[in-house]
Amino acid sequence: MNSKRQFQIGNVTIGGNAPVVVQSMTNTDTADVQASVAQCKRMIDAGAQMVRLTVPSLKEVEPLKEIQKRLKSDGYGQIPLVADVHFNPKVAEAVATFMDKVRVNPGNFTDKRNFSQLDLSDSEYAAQVERMALRAKPLFEICKQHGTAVRLGINHGSLCDRIVSRYGNTPEAMVQSALEWLEICERYDFHKVVISMKSSNVLTMMTATKLLHDSMLERNLSYPLHLGVTEAGNGREGRVKSAAGIGALLLMGIGDTIRVSLTEPPENESPFGHALVEAIGNMDVTSLNVQDGTLTFADDESDETRWMCRAAAVAGYAHFQHGLREVKLRNPHFTTEQLADLEALVMQACRIKILNTEFVACPSCGRTQYDIQSVFAAVKQRFAGYPGLKIGVMGCIVNGPGEMADADYGIVGASNGLVCVYEGKKRVSEPMLPDAAMAQLDKLIIDN
Ligand code: SF4
């Protein structure tokens, strides 16, 4: 949409003037070929234009090849497949030989996140960046050889200690992380790169993406940007959060591909992604009504989903530009209660006003080994109505604690259907059944 660089990922054109690509991610165990193929097909039938699968270890590489083969032979080969790789450069190198795109997380490709403050001199810092660059070289060579694209997936919740110690846990730190890797890409003459700057905080995600967009322009770089709000949750809250962050950036003309992450069956994500892109496609935001920190948004959209998208996107946009204190919605097709309900959701999503408990929940992926959707639903039901309280429900112990680091309490998946309870960043229980974890969470919150 806004990036100047355009290229193919499989059969899909990304960047330049190409339409925004709507993508999604499986939550099956990638080693379970049958379940993963079936889920990919449901997602593609629902409108996913690119599908990502997690590859936690080398053990999933052969099943991934088989998934790709079966999708091709069943007539689904037109949709590019993306491998999601954390921690293990060897896995990235293995999947780069046959996948259309590989997502790496610069925060944990060679660096670590132990929440430690590192006091590095400039030369020590530079040496660590150089070590990372050398370790990444084979990946970029393989990608060049096979025409594979790379997504640099920067997450606010998984920035490495080196970056956080120097730049704080901030949008600026996210930009530094992206720029370090873009320099590495440029050094190796590798340009098939997409970048994402994700956070569960809508304003952080918007700020980081806009800053990176501007920083790239200053450097005469213009790589496509992938937009998403992580751990958005589910239902209307999750959709409004995503629409506020993604929609606001699209209204600024920023963004080439999007994913709406929901803690729901993954086939629910793309229909809402397409609805969002279409609902805000022709909006004019040049003369919004903002007075004394209050946005008054009058709209005549009668479709509820489209109205939700438009209201959330405009509020996100106006909050980013003006710093809002209040949002007032006007629409003749909806009741006063419906207007007030959406106003509250939009303001909570943008943190203009915190009117309810804040919930963060990852969409889950092949690393999740418990029924996160029902646990999250139970947590939301039990702990609604505590403004100022933040609770995380995360799929795995590998990334979950980092991704919900600013939550007051959390439930994080362990193995074999068990979960652990967290108080802040600290694990306060052994792995236990979700019902027992709910009871412990209840006691912790009531005691406090
Ligand atoms: Fe997957 Fe959730 Fe773990 Fe992220 S936190 S890797 S989405 S299970």
mmCIF file of all heavy atoms in Angstrom, residues 25 54 84 86 231 362-368 372 394-400 403, ligand 1:
data_model
loop_
_atom_site.group_PDB
_atom_site.id
_atom_site.type_symbol
_atom_site.label_atom_id
_atom_site.label_comp_id
_atom_site.label_asym_id
_atom_site.label_seq_id
_atom_site.Cartn_x
_atom_site.Cartn_y
_atom_site.Cartn_z
ATOM 1 N N MET A 25 -2.850 -17.428 10.938
ATOM 2 C CA MET A 25 -1.900 -18.432 11.431
ATOM 3 C C MET A 25 -2.625 -19.617 12.061
ATOM 4 O O MET A 25 -3.617 -19.429 12.776
ATOM 5 C CB MET A 25 -0.976 -17.778 12.470
ATOM 6 C CG MET A 25 0.073 -18.719 13.001
ATOM 7 S SD MET A 25 1.302 -17.850 13.986
ATOM 8 C CE MET A 25 2.323 -19.225 14.499
ATOM 9 N N THR A 54 3.617 -22.615 12.863
ATOM 10 C CA THR A 54 4.758 -22.540 13.761
ATOM 11 C C THR A 54 5.701 -23.729 13.541
ATOM 12 O O THR A 54 5.268 -24.829 13.241
ATOM 13 C CB THR A 54 4.287 -22.480 15.231
ATOM 14 O OG1 THR A 54 5.384 -22.153 16.054
ATOM 15 C CG2 THR A 54 3.702 -23.788 15.704
ATOM 16 N N ASP A 84 6.923 -19.988 10.958
ATOM 17 C CA ASP A 84 7.171 -19.103 12.094
ATOM 18 C C ASP A 84 8.263 -19.720 12.966
ATOM 19 O O ASP A 84 8.052 -20.766 13.570
ATOM 20 C CB ASP A 84 5.883 -18.943 12.912
ATOM 21 C CG ASP A 84 5.988 -17.791 13.886
ATOM 22 O OD1 ASP A 84 5.942 -16.651 13.438
ATOM 23 O OD2 ASP A 84 6.132 -18.042 15.098
ATOM 24 N N HIS A 86 11.213 -19.395 15.973
ATOM 25 C CA HIS A 86 11.758 -18.674 17.139
ATOM 26 C C HIS A 86 13.044 -19.370 17.554
ATOM 27 O O HIS A 86 13.127 -20.591 17.489
ATOM 28 C CB HIS A 86 10.809 -18.779 18.341
ATOM 29 C CG HIS A 86 9.511 -18.068 18.158
ATOM 30 N ND1 HIS A 86 9.171 -16.966 18.893
ATOM 31 C CD2 HIS A 86 8.473 -18.307 17.339
ATOM 32 C CE1 HIS A 86 7.959 -16.565 18.539
ATOM 33 N NE2 HIS A 86 7.525 -17.360 17.609
ATOM 34 N N GLU A 231 -1.917 -10.506 21.009
ATOM 35 C CA GLU A 231 -2.667 -10.811 22.228
ATOM 36 C C GLU A 231 -3.911 -9.937 22.357
ATOM 37 O O GLU A 231 -4.229 -9.441 23.444
ATOM 38 C CB GLU A 231 -1.777 -10.628 23.471
ATOM 39 C CG GLU A 231 -0.671 -11.636 23.578
ATOM 40 C CD GLU A 231 0.632 -11.141 22.992
ATOM 41 O OE1 GLU A 231 0.940 -9.957 23.118
ATOM 42 O OE2 GLU A 231 1.350 -11.960 22.389
ATOM 43 N N CYS A 362 -3.023 -14.569 23.900
ATOM 44 C CA CYS A 362 -2.423 -14.847 22.592
ATOM 45 C C CYS A 362 -3.394 -15.687 21.769
ATOM 46 O O CYS A 362 -4.269 -16.354 22.326
ATOM 47 C CB CYS A 362 -1.070 -15.529 22.747
ATOM 48 S SG CYS A 362 -1.142 -17.297 23.048
ATOM 49 N N PRO A 363 -3.233 -15.666 20.454
ATOM 50 C CA PRO A 363 -4.167 -16.425 19.615
ATOM 51 C C PRO A 363 -3.918 -17.930 19.702
ATOM 52 O O PRO A 363 -4.714 -18.711 19.206
ATOM 53 C CB PRO A 363 -3.866 -15.903 18.205
ATOM 54 C CG PRO A 363 -2.468 -15.399 18.278
ATOM 55 C CD PRO A 363 -2.274 -14.889 19.668
ATOM 56 N N SER A 364 -2.803 -18.305 20.342
ATOM 57 C CA SER A 364 -2.304 -19.685 20.433
ATOM 58 C C SER A 364 -1.703 -20.124 19.105
ATOM 59 O O SER A 364 -1.962 -19.527 18.065
ATOM 60 C CB SER A 364 -3.366 -20.680 20.920
ATOM 61 O OG SER A 364 -4.234 -21.043 19.866
ATOM 62 N N CYS A 365 -0.884 -21.154 19.173
ATOM 63 C CA CYS A 365 -0.272 -21.701 17.968
ATOM 64 C C CYS A 365 0.107 -23.141 18.283
ATOM 65 O O CYS A 365 -0.332 -23.693 19.299
ATOM 66 C CB CYS A 365 0.940 -20.858 17.538
ATOM 67 S SG CYS A 365 2.362 -20.996 18.644
ATOM 68 N N GLY A 366 0.929 -23.733 17.442
ATOM 69 C CA GLY A 366 1.285 -25.138 17.644
ATOM 70 C C GLY A 366 2.028 -25.398 18.941
ATOM 71 O O GLY A 366 2.241 -26.549 19.319
ATOM 72 N N ARG A 367 2.425 -24.333 19.632
ATOM 73 C CA ARG A 367 3.118 -24.532 20.913
ATOM 74 C C ARG A 367 2.142 -24.688 22.080
ATOM 75 O O ARG A 367 2.548 -24.993 23.185
ATOM 76 C CB ARG A 367 4.041 -23.341 21.202
ATOM 77 C CG ARG A 367 5.242 -23.251 20.285
ATOM 78 C CD ARG A 367 6.026 -21.983 20.617
ATOM 79 N NE ARG A 367 7.339 -22.003 20.025
ATOM 80 C CZ ARG A 367 7.612 -21.533 18.817
ATOM 81 N NH1 ARG A 367 6.651 -21.056 18.062
ATOM 82 N NH2 ARG A 367 8.854 -21.579 18.348
ATOM 83 N N THR A 368 0.862 -24.425 21.842
ATOM 84 C CA THR A 368 -0.118 -24.439 22.934
ATOM 85 C C THR A 368 -0.600 -25.861 23.202
ATOM 86 O O THR A 368 -0.996 -26.562 22.274
ATOM 87 C CB THR A 368 -1.340 -23.561 22.557
ATOM 88 O OG1 THR A 368 -0.851 -22.314 22.084
ATOM 89 C CG2 THR A 368 -2.246 -23.334 23.741
ATOM 90 N N ILE A 372 -6.888 -23.146 25.399
ATOM 91 C CA ILE A 372 -6.778 -21.729 25.776
ATOM 92 C C ILE A 372 -8.085 -20.981 25.534
ATOM 93 O O ILE A 372 -8.430 -20.067 26.291
ATOM 94 C CB ILE A 372 -5.586 -21.059 25.030
ATOM 95 C CG1 ILE A 372 -5.349 -19.635 25.561
ATOM 96 C CG2 ILE A 372 -5.772 -21.064 23.555
ATOM 97 C CD1 ILE A 372 -4.093 -18.975 25.020
ATOM 98 N N MET A 394 -1.889 -16.954 28.208
ATOM 99 C CA MET A 394 -0.953 -17.183 27.111
ATOM 100 C C MET A 394 -0.783 -18.677 26.842
ATOM 101 O O MET A 394 -0.894 -19.500 27.749
ATOM 102 C CB MET A 394 0.406 -16.570 27.451
ATOM 103 C CG MET A 394 0.344 -15.118 27.882
ATOM 104 S SD MET A 394 -0.348 -14.011 26.634
ATOM 105 C CE MET A 394 0.997 -13.958 25.500
ATOM 106 N N GLY A 395 -0.453 -18.966 25.586
ATOM 107 C CA GLY A 395 -0.433 -20.353 25.162
ATOM 108 C C GLY A 395 0.771 -21.159 25.611
ATOM 109 O O GLY A 395 0.656 -22.355 25.868
ATOM 110 N N CYS A 396 1.937 -20.519 25.715
ATOM 111 C CA CYS A 396 3.130 -21.332 25.986
ATOM 112 C C CYS A 396 4.093 -20.606 26.910
ATOM 113 O O CYS A 396 4.131 -19.377 26.967
ATOM 114 C CB CYS A 396 3.840 -21.719 24.689
ATOM 115 S SG CYS A 396 4.791 -20.391 23.958
ATOM 116 N N ILE A 397 4.881 -21.418 27.575
ATOM 117 C CA ILE A 397 5.820 -20.899 28.560
ATOM 118 C C ILE A 397 7.066 -20.307 27.893
ATOM 119 O O ILE A 397 7.824 -19.556 28.487
ATOM 120 C CB ILE A 397 6.174 -22.036 29.542
ATOM 121 C CG1 ILE A 397 6.378 -21.493 30.943
ATOM 122 C CG2 ILE A 397 7.357 -22.856 29.085
ATOM 123 C CD1 ILE A 397 5.810 -22.400 32.003
ATOM 124 N N VAL A 398 7.242 -20.645 26.599
ATOM 125 C CA VAL A 398 8.437 -20.156 25.886
ATOM 126 C C VAL A 398 8.323 -18.651 25.633
ATOM 127 O O VAL A 398 9.230 -17.889 25.925
ATOM 128 C CB VAL A 398 8.601 -20.914 24.546
ATOM 129 C CG1 VAL A 398 9.846 -20.464 23.825
ATOM 130 C CG2 VAL A 398 8.621 -22.401 24.779
ATOM 131 N N ASN A 399 7.177 -18.225 25.099
ATOM 132 C CA ASN A 399 7.013 -16.812 24.777
ATOM 133 C C ASN A 399 5.990 -16.095 25.650
ATOM 134 O O ASN A 399 5.996 -14.877 25.727
ATOM 135 C CB ASN A 399 6.565 -16.654 23.315
ATOM 136 C CG ASN A 399 7.664 -17.040 22.372
ATOM 137 O OD1 ASN A 399 8.814 -16.692 22.582
ATOM 138 N ND2 ASN A 399 7.330 -17.800 21.357
ATOM 139 N N GLY A 400 5.107 -16.865 26.274
ATOM 140 C CA GLY A 400 4.010 -16.255 27.021
ATOM 141 C C GLY A 400 4.441 -15.276 28.093
ATOM 142 O O GLY A 400 3.971 -14.127 28.114
ATOM 143 N N GLU A 403 5.642 -12.003 26.637
ATOM 144 C CA GLU A 403 4.608 -11.266 25.903
ATOM 145 C C GLU A 403 3.588 -10.620 26.836
ATOM 146 O O GLU A 403 2.931 -9.659 26.476
ATOM 147 C CB GLU A 403 3.887 -12.203 24.927
ATOM 148 C CG GLU A 403 4.801 -12.879 23.902
ATOM 149 C CD GLU A 403 5.205 -11.979 22.747
ATOM 150 O OE1 GLU A 403 4.616 -10.895 22.621
ATOM 151 O OE2 GLU A 403 6.112 -12.349 21.997
HETATM 152 FE FE1 SF4 B 1 2.249 -19.367 20.255
HETATM 153 FE FE2 SF4 B 1 0.932 -18.035 22.187
HETATM 154 FE FE3 SF4 B 1 3.368 -19.091 22.666
HETATM 155 FE FE4 SF4 B 1 3.077 -16.910 21.071
HETATM 156 S S1 SF4 B 1 2.663 -17.051 23.282
HETATM 157 S S2 SF4 B 1 4.383 -18.720 20.683
HETATM 158 S S3 SF4 B 1 1.122 -17.437 20.030
HETATM 159 S S4 SF4 B 1 1.487 -20.179 22.167
#
